[in-house]
Amino acid sequence: MKVIRPLLTKIPKIPRPDVKNRAIKISENAIKKTQTANRFFLEVGEFGLFLWLTIKALFSRHFEFKEFLRQCFLVGNKTLPLISLTGVVIGLVLTIQSRPILAEFGAVSLLPGMVAVSIIREMGPVVTGLICCGKIGSGMGAELGSMKVSEQIDAMEVSSTNPMRFLVVPRVLAATFMIPILVLYADALGILGSWAGANLKGDVTFILFFTQAFNSISFSDFIPAVIKTFFFGAAIGLVGCFKGYTAGRGTASVGKAANQSVVLASVFVIIIDLIAVQITDVLQ
Amino acid sequence: MKTDNRISPEHASRPAASTVIEINELCKSFGKLQVLRNLSLQLFENENLILLGKSGSGKSVLIKCIVRLLIPDSGSITFLGKNVMDLNSEELAEMRVKIGFLFQSGALYDSMTIRENLEFPLVRIKKHLTRQEVNEKVEESLENVGLLDSINKMPSQLSGGMRKRASLARTIVVDPMVMLYDEPTTGLDPVTSNEISELINRVQHKYKTSSIIITHDIECARATADRLIMLKEGQAYMEGSIEEFEQTSDELVESYFKSQNKP
């Protein structure tokens, strides 16, 4: 006992774990995570409801055809210069970068077909879709957001006009129908850009280049690519309108709505593309 | 003069049929903030009812509840004998046609000209009108507010007062029975404010409307009021005529009126 007692006294005290504080921290973290999850599910629910109201307004008796045409013009006309530039540059860059690799294998003659397939199947739709997210989605988000902030949407509602019918349906439809047209236009310019790129270090006639390009393309390349762009358009229109329509009251919320429209629409475009590729792969 | 939220005997003695809007025990909260607390009031036919009160006392929330832009937590709002909360979407649209709402910001559609702003509700509500009748109605409304010269201008080309007048023209173009004005003179110079007050009176006389006017502007209240109700913390604090409000010894009302009479 005489030996043990001094030893026992020398054993350092183990600090008692601060159970109370740790429990508080854990519960605070849990609350934060729950709140984030709640916000996410709330937003998913709101988007579902918004989608339902849009579909309901779409099939209502009164269709705002004039506003639909105006939105088609705005979507097409305002995006055209940017799409033109992007289309040409995609074709040009793809050709300039692919040519040396193909030349190594003596397969330069495959260049028009390879570029055309990659532009029509993937590059044209996705790049145009993403550009439209920035240009059209943010525009819709900001426009409807500022209408919300300046009480214009409320004014429409109290004057017995359904804002969904006048503001949302024409915009969503315009995006759905105009984006495929813009994609086809971008594809055509991309192939034209590719021909220009091919002529920077070679000499290929326009007819020869296009004959080789179109010989490599089949309807199975073309049709799924076009179909998915309708979904890109619908997603961009819906997300832009949803974010604008549900914007907060302050002016800062307009910028936030525009920004979130771009981010969310881009995510949607990428996800839709992924799903479309999988479906096409299975079907082929 | 009253200091509770019941209608004064003078007004209560009116025949029940002349009541256009009746609000009973209305409550509305935003989260933990209770904006309206058991508020009750009535709007009678052909009267201009002024709602006074500090910012945040629930005035704008009240008129937004009337047109169901906001849903109250409890209580009832009756418009021409029908409970607003029980209306289906078609009945609600019918009711909204009868109510004109002048927003504080004017809320003109900024992508449309003034003509298009006025045509927008008109062609959607009065579908039977011919093109010529629509044009005549639009021009008549703009003439009433003195803005016929600006018919083809965009809202961004108008001054604040002109925008308020254009917005008023858009509201009266569909011949409403009731007008709800949300701070019609806020942000305007005294001369333009007087013009707007005169316009409110002219609209009342010409279109035989009943109006609820939310304002902080005592001059506007003096020019337009048949009856005033002061709100405090979501409740009717005082009710009476403009003379009664000016003669009262109540501290809150006195300070409210004195603060605006300062040179």
Side-chain angles (χ1 to χ4, degrees):
Chain A
M1 286 298 281
K2 278 179 186 172
V3 183
I4 293 168
R5 190 167 283 164
L7 273 177
L8 277 175
T9 51
K10 280 179 187 174
I11 293 171
K13 273 191 174 179
I14 301 164
R16 289 179 66 191
D18 194 352
V19 180
K20 196 180 169 188
N21 279 345
R22 274 179 77 182
I24 290 170
K25 272 188 180 175
I26 289 167
S27 60
E28 275 175 356
N29 282 340
I31 288 168
K32 273 182 193 170
K33 279 175 186 167
T34 315
Q35 281 172 342
T36 313
N38 277 349
R39 270 199 297 273
F40 172 75
F41 287 116
L42 197 69
E43 185 135 348
V44 171
E46 275 182 354
F47 187 73
L49 182 67
F50 185 81
L51 183 64
W52 165 243
L53 290 174
T54 308
I55 293 167
K56 222 172 118 183
L58 176 65
F59 292 105
S60 68
R61 277 174 294 172
H62 313 287
F63 180 65
E64 299 280 352
F65 191 68
K66 207 174 151 191
E67 180 62 12
F68 166 66
L69 288 182
R70 196 177 81 88
Q71 289 302 326
C72 283
F73 174 74
L74 290 177
V75 168
N77 186 42
K78 283 192 173 173
T79 330
L80 212 57
L82 191 58
I83 296 288
S84 307
L85 180 71
T86 318
V88 172
V89 170
I90 289 173
L92 200 70
V93 169
L94 262 179
T95 307
I96 291 169
Q97 291 196 335
S98 309
R99 195 187 160 89
I101 301 160
L102 288 174
E104 264 182 48
F105 296 99
V108 181
S109 60
L110 294 177
L111 186 72
M114 193 203 79
V115 173
V117 168
S118 58
I119 284 176
I120 284 171
R121 271 192 169 192
E122 200 57 34
M123 296 297 282
V126 172
V127 173
T128 309
L130 290 175
I131 285 172
C132 289
C133 289
K135 186 82 180 150
I136 299 166
S138 68
M140 286 178 182
E143 192 183 3
L144 295 197
S146 71
M147 285 185 81
K148 178 93 178 179
V149 169
S150 59
E151 297 178 307
Q152 291 176 49
I153 292 180
D154 286 346
M156 249 176 223
E157 227 168 284
V158 294
S159 66
S160 290
T161 307
N162 184 351
M164 296 296 290
R165 206 184 291 152
F166 183 77
L167 296 174
V168 178
V169 170
R171 279 170 174 78
V172 173
L173 284 184
T176 308
F177 289 109
M178 289 310 289
I179 287 175
I181 296 171
L182 288 170
V183 168
L184 292 178
Y185 173 73
D187 288 351
L189 284 181
I191 297 172
L192 201 68
S194 174
W195 171 70
N199 274 295
L200 287 176
K201 286 189 178 176
D203 187 17
V204 192
T205 63
F206 183 78
I207 294 170
L208 178 66
F209 188 89
F210 271 74
T211 309
Q212 283 187 337
F214 283 106
N215 279 343
S216 314
I217 304 164
S218 63
F219 274 107
S220 60
D221 298 317
F222 184 72
I223 289 177
V226 173
I227 290 171
K228 73 181 173 189
T229 58
F230 282 97
F231 289 95
F232 288 176
I236 291 166
L238 271 171
V239 169
C241 290
F242 170 69
K243 284 291 171 189
Y245 205 88
T246 54
R249 286 283 170 192
T251 44
S253 56
V254 177
K256 204 174 158 189
N259 184 275
Q260 287 181 339
S261 302
V262 179
V263 175
L264 197 60
S266 304
V267 171
F268 269 74
V269 164
I270 290 163
I271 291 171
I272 291 168
D273 187 52
L274 188 70
I275 295 167
V277 167
Q278 294 297 321
I279 292 171
T280 314
D281 195 40
V282 169
L283 291 176
Q284 281 176 347
Chain B
M1 174 68 77
K2 290 187 64 62
T3 51
D4 65 21
N5 57 1
R6 285 172 294 150
I7 302 301
S8 66
E10 181 203 336
H11 297 296
S13 62
R14 289 173 185 236
S18 69
T19 306
V20 181
I21 295 175
E22 188 168 359
I23 292 161
N24 278 316
E25 307 282 316
L26 201 71
C27 294
K28 175 71 188 170
S29 305
F30 295 96
K32 286 177 185 172
L33 181 72
Q34 195 169 5
V35 181
L36 296 177
R37 300 160 196 251
N38 296 320
L39 178 69
S40 298
L41 60 87
Q42 284 173 302
L43 174 72
F44 300 105
E45 215 176 319
N46 283 334
E47 79 161 342
N48 279 347
L49 171 65
I50 302 284
L51 289 184
L52 293 171
K54 284 183 183 172
S55 301
S57 57
K59 307 180 298 294
S60 299
V61 171
L62 171 67
I63 59 169
K64 284 184 179 171
C65 285
I66 292 174
V67 288
R68 233 168 83 174
L69 276 179
L70 292 173
I71 307 289
D73 302 332
S74 63
S76 70
I77 302 169
T78 315
F79 177 75
L80 296 175
K82 283 185 181 173
N83 190 339
V84 173
M85 295 307 135
D86 295 339
L87 302 178
N88 61 31
S89 57
E90 281 176 16
E91 288 169 332
L92 181 65
E94 264 177 46
M95 183 204 77
R96 282 174 171 172
V97 170
K98 292 174 187 161
I99 300 179
F101 197 119
L102 184 74
F103 285 85
Q104 193 179 343
S105 58
L108 288 171
Y109 310 130
D110 46 21
S111 61
M112 302 179 194
T113 62
I114 299 303
R115 178 193 286 279
E116 288 165 343
N117 260 282
L118 268 73
E119 281 177 0
F120 185 83
L122 192 60
V123 295
R124 284 166 180 81
I125 291 168
K126 303 200 169 185
K127 290 171 189 161
H128 59 278
L129 294 181
T130 62
R131 188 68 241 172
Q132 196 190 338
E133 285 169 331
V134 168
N135 286 340
E136 279 169 10
K137 274 288 246 179
V138 167
E139 283 166 18
E140 185 198 326
S141 293
L142 282 173
E143 206 169 359
N144 283 333
V145 299
L147 269 185
L148 193 54
D149 295 345
S150 308
I151 191 164
N152 291 318
K153 285 186 178 169
M154 298 300 283
S156 57
Q157 294 173 289
L158 304 183
S159 66
M162 288 163 93
R163 248 178 276 167
K164 281 260 165 80
R165 281 191 280 157
S167 183
L168 183 57
R170 186 181 65 184
T171 313
I172 60 175
V173 78
V174 288
D175 305 324
M177 276 180 68
V178 174
M179 288 290 299
L180 305 175
Y181 298 92
D182 192 358
E183 301 190 18
T185 57
T186 299
L188 302 177
D189 61 88
V191 177
T192 316
S193 295
N194 288 343
E195 283 174 14
I196 297 286
S197 303
E198 278 171 28
L199 262 177
I200 292 172
N201 284 333
R202 214 184 306 158
V203 166
Q204 190 206 11
H205 292 133
K206 186 163 183 179
Y207 297 91
K208 307 282 178 227
T209 55
S210 314
S211 312
I212 294 179
I213 304 161
I214 290 175
T215 187
H216 295 289
D217 181 0
I218 300 299
E219 284 309 314
C220 174
R222 277 197 192 103
T224 56
D226 292 318
R227 188 161 58 103
L228 292 95
I229 292 178
M230 178 169 256
L231 299 189
K232 189 191 169 194
E233 291 166 3
Q235 285 180 312
Y237 178 74
M238 197 169 275
E239 183 194 341
S241 65
I242 186 81
E243 291 80 20
E244 286 173 317
F245 267 72
E246 284 180 322
Q247 285 160 16
T248 185
S249 56
D250 183 272
E251 256 179 52
L252 181 75
V253 179
E254 245 187 350
S255 66
Y256 198 89
F257 273 68
K258 273 182 186 167
S259 66
Q260 295 214 14
N261 286 335
K262 278 179 188 171

